[in-house]
Amino acid sequence: MHGPMRLLYYVESLRIGGSIQTTVTVARQMKAAGHFVVFASEGGPLLSQLEKSGIPHIPVTTEVRHPSPGVMRKLMAAIRQYDITLLCPNGFDCTLDAIPAGLLTGRPVMPTYGGMFNLPYPHPYLPVVNVFSDELMVDLVERFGWKPEVFRHLIARIDQERFYPEVSGAALRADLGIAEGLEVLVMICRHDRLKAGGVMTLLDAAEAIHRGRPDARIVLLGDGDAHGEILARIEEIHTRTGSHFILAPGASQRTAEAFAMSDLVVATGARSALEAMAIGKVVLSVGPNGFCGVLSPETIEGFRRFNFDKGRLAGNPLAAREILVDCVLRLLSDDALRGELGRFSERYAREHLLIQTAGPAYEAMYREAMRRWPSGSFARLGLFGSWVGTFLRFLSYRLERRFGLTSAPPPEEVAPPPASLDPDWRLGIPLSTVPRQG
């Protein structure tokens, strides 16, 4: 099983988002390594990155209930047209479409799961799965009986050709009208219902940050169905303070420039945190439940266990807001500490996060998935039965939710971690890496 592979990546859309950007980044790296790559999804602004790499794009309609017969047919047609040897979906919904397409065409399927949603029902058991968080892996093992040996844990997903310490943010700073010498906090994320809580956490702290550093600017890049709500909140803050110190110009693909011009990055998700680390920036993690700490040598392994996204595990949101303000002000006042943490970020990214150095590991994982795909009729029938069971359980769950027969949260809401992964390591609390001034 040597020579170039023929890979079909499938994700819901090409809108700006962490899991989507990750899939695009991996696909581009596999194309650069000499493999044939095709990409299936709805359209979006990230299509330009595929076009730049010469990767064919197959438009599919994913604003449907999964599994979707129409999407399955599209995937099967692409598999046959391009003689695909491995189908690589991202996320549970896409995997539910991919498994029948793979079984009916005799092609292996190997998904990647990020791990930010609840698992309210079991999912089809597959021979090789890449996961970004120990949290999700433990949940699948403890609650749904998966075997630990099926999991791979490749977290490298940052393109060092786009995110590197020498990137300049001067042009974007000028375009935004931020004068030289002003300190800048940057947050980049979608402004939708999944990310709005993290944005509001920063906005809750904004007035106190402004009182402590009146010349600092906060830049929020992003757009989505919560953007209007966020703009209204910013306007309230500006009215109370009499100062327009928060900029929210909308979505942008100039993310590397934005991180480069920052003094601090406040991340409400894994992707932006890791991209900022690759540029050598200090990263603070927040979420709907408040502040959860600074990515530092003391905290990084804890963050990694939960896919670098732990604002949702913080404690009292009001207390977390006070700690966030204190941390931001102390970091802005200590150039040496920011430099030390920035060098740690760059070093960690170089050792663990860059897709160019992890390319061979991805290739090995894909070839293993192809070898381990069930070859006998009985084994394939078992996988199909697992898929059917998941589909029926999903239908049951949906009916239970519709008629109020279950108290389980919907899958799009974030879940607490499994009991065996205790979240009470209090990332950054106490702030051992941020000594109090004075």
Side-chain angles (χ1 to χ4, degrees):
M1 196 178 297
H2 301 288
M5 293 178 285
R6 303 182 68 82
L7 306 170
L8 171 58
Y9 290 89
Y10 168 43
V11 70
E12 289 203 332
S13 80
L14 286 169
R15 66 180 184 275
I16 296 175
S19 63
I20 298 166
Q21 181 65 76
T22 289
T23 310
V24 171
T25 299
V26 176
R28 293 182 67 196
Q29 175 59 29
M30 292 300 102
K31 175 66 184 299
H35 303 286
F36 180 81
V37 176
V38 182
F39 206 99
S41 70
E42 285 194 345
L46 296 180
L47 178 59
S48 61
Q49 293 190 25
L50 297 181
E51 293 173 339
K52 182 179 179 180
S53 295
I55 296 175
H57 177 248
I58 300 168
V60 297
T61 301
T62 56
E63 291 298 324
V64 294
R65 293 195 183 277
H66 300 275
S68 164
V71 173
M72 292 178 205
R73 288 193 294 270
K74 282 263 191 175
L75 294 176
M76 291 169 61
I79 288 170
R80 294 184 177 114
Q81 177 182 353
Y82 295 104
D83 192 24
I84 296 299
T85 56
L86 181 65
L87 176 53
C88 304
N90 188 297
F92 287 114
D93 287 346
C94 291
T95 302
L96 291 181
D97 295 329
I99 288 174
L103 288 171
L104 291 172
T105 56
R107 295 297 189 270
V109 176
M110 199 226 78
T112 294
Y113 294 150
M116 64 179 294
F117 298 132
N118 284 318
L119 300 179
Y121 45 82
H123 290 270
Y125 180 89
L126 290 159
V128 177
V129 173
N130 190 35
V131 293
F132 288 155
S133 72
D134 290 349
E135 175 187 13
L136 175 62
M137 178 179 66
V138 170
D139 201 27
L140 287 167
V141 170
E142 292 184 349
R143 293 178 56 213
F144 298 113
W146 286 50
K147 296 179 180 178
E149 57 266 26
V150 310
F151 296 102
R152 303 297 171 266
H153 197 58
L154 273 178
I155 64 171
R157 52 203 194 262
I158 305 302
D159 183 357
Q160 71 184 65
E161 294 181 357
R162 296 182 61 213
F163 300 95
Y164 54 94
E166 293 76 23
V167 173
S168 172
L172 181 58
R173 175 188 279 265
D175 290 346
L176 293 175
I178 302 175
E180 289 295 328
L182 297 183
E183 296 159 330
V184 180
L185 280 72
V186 168
M187 173 182 276
I188 304 176
C189 66
R190 299 188 310 276
H191 290 177
D192 59 19
R193 58 197 178 94
L194 288 176
K195 298 293 186 179
V199 179
M200 292 304 181
T201 292
L202 178 56
L203 292 180
D204 285 344
E207 290 181 64
I209 293 172
H210 179 64
R211 285 194 297 271
R213 305 292 283 204
D215 289 337
R217 297 292 180 264
I218 297 174
V219 177
L220 307 177
L221 291 183
D223 203 352
D225 55 19
H227 189 63
E229 177 186 352
I230 290 168
L231 290 179
R233 180 69 178 281
I234 292 171
E235 185 60 32
E236 292 175 6
I237 295 170
H238 286 171
T239 299
R240 280 195 300 269
T241 62
S243 174
H244 288 69
F245 64 96
I246 305 172
L247 290 74
S252 173
Q253 292 196 57
R254 299 171 70 179
T255 51
E257 293 178 74
F259 291 141
M261 75 176 182
S262 71
D263 294 280
L264 297 176
V265 171
V266 184
T268 182
R271 182 79 195 188
S272 60
L274 303 187
E275 290 174 346
M277 290 185 79
I279 294 179
K281 296 298 178 176
V282 183
V283 180
L284 297 81
S285 175
V286 303
N289 293 322
F291 172 56
C292 207
V294 183
L295 274 65
S296 70
E298 290 83 357
T299 64
I300 194 65
E301 282 307 301
F303 275 110
R304 186 200 62 77
R305 288 164 58 199
F306 294 91
N307 192 24
F308 304 95
D309 182 16
K310 287 289 61 60
R312 62 191 171 88
L313 295 185
N316 184 306
L318 293 177
R321 179 182 64 193
E322 294 174 2
I323 298 170
L324 172 59
V325 172
D326 185 50
C327 183
V328 167
L329 295 180
R330 282 187 276 158
L331 282 167
L332 289 179
S333 68
D334 193 331
D335 294 345
L337 179 59
R338 287 204 316 277
E340 178 184 341
L341 291 171
R343 287 188 292 274
F344 160 74
S345 289
E346 180 187 350
R347 183 171 65 252
Y348 187 87
R350 185 172 61 250
E351 293 173 356
H352 300 283
L353 303 177
L354 302 181
I355 188 65
Q356 281 80 359
T357 57
Y362 272 93
E363 293 178 9
M365 179 176 65
Y366 290 162
R367 294 189 191 279
E368 180 187 10
M370 293 162 63
R371 290 193 304 270
R372 295 185 59 186
W373 186 251
S375 57
S377 298
F378 183 77
R380 288 197 297 270
L381 184 62
L383 176 55
F384 180 72
S386 175
W387 178 88
V388 171
T390 293
F391 177 55
L392 294 176
R393 184 64 189 91
F394 170 69
L395 290 178
S396 173
Y397 172 81
R398 197 166 68 195
L399 290 173
E400 290 170 359
R401 292 290 304 174
R402 177 176 296 177
F403 294 105
L405 300 177
T406 179
S407 59
E412 63 268 14
E413 292 183 4
V414 291
S420 60
L421 287 181
D422 182 5
D424 198 26
W425 23 268
R426 294 293 187 235
L427 289 177
I429 305 172
L431 299 173
S432 60
T433 62
V434 189
R436 186 178 296 276
Q437 299 301 304

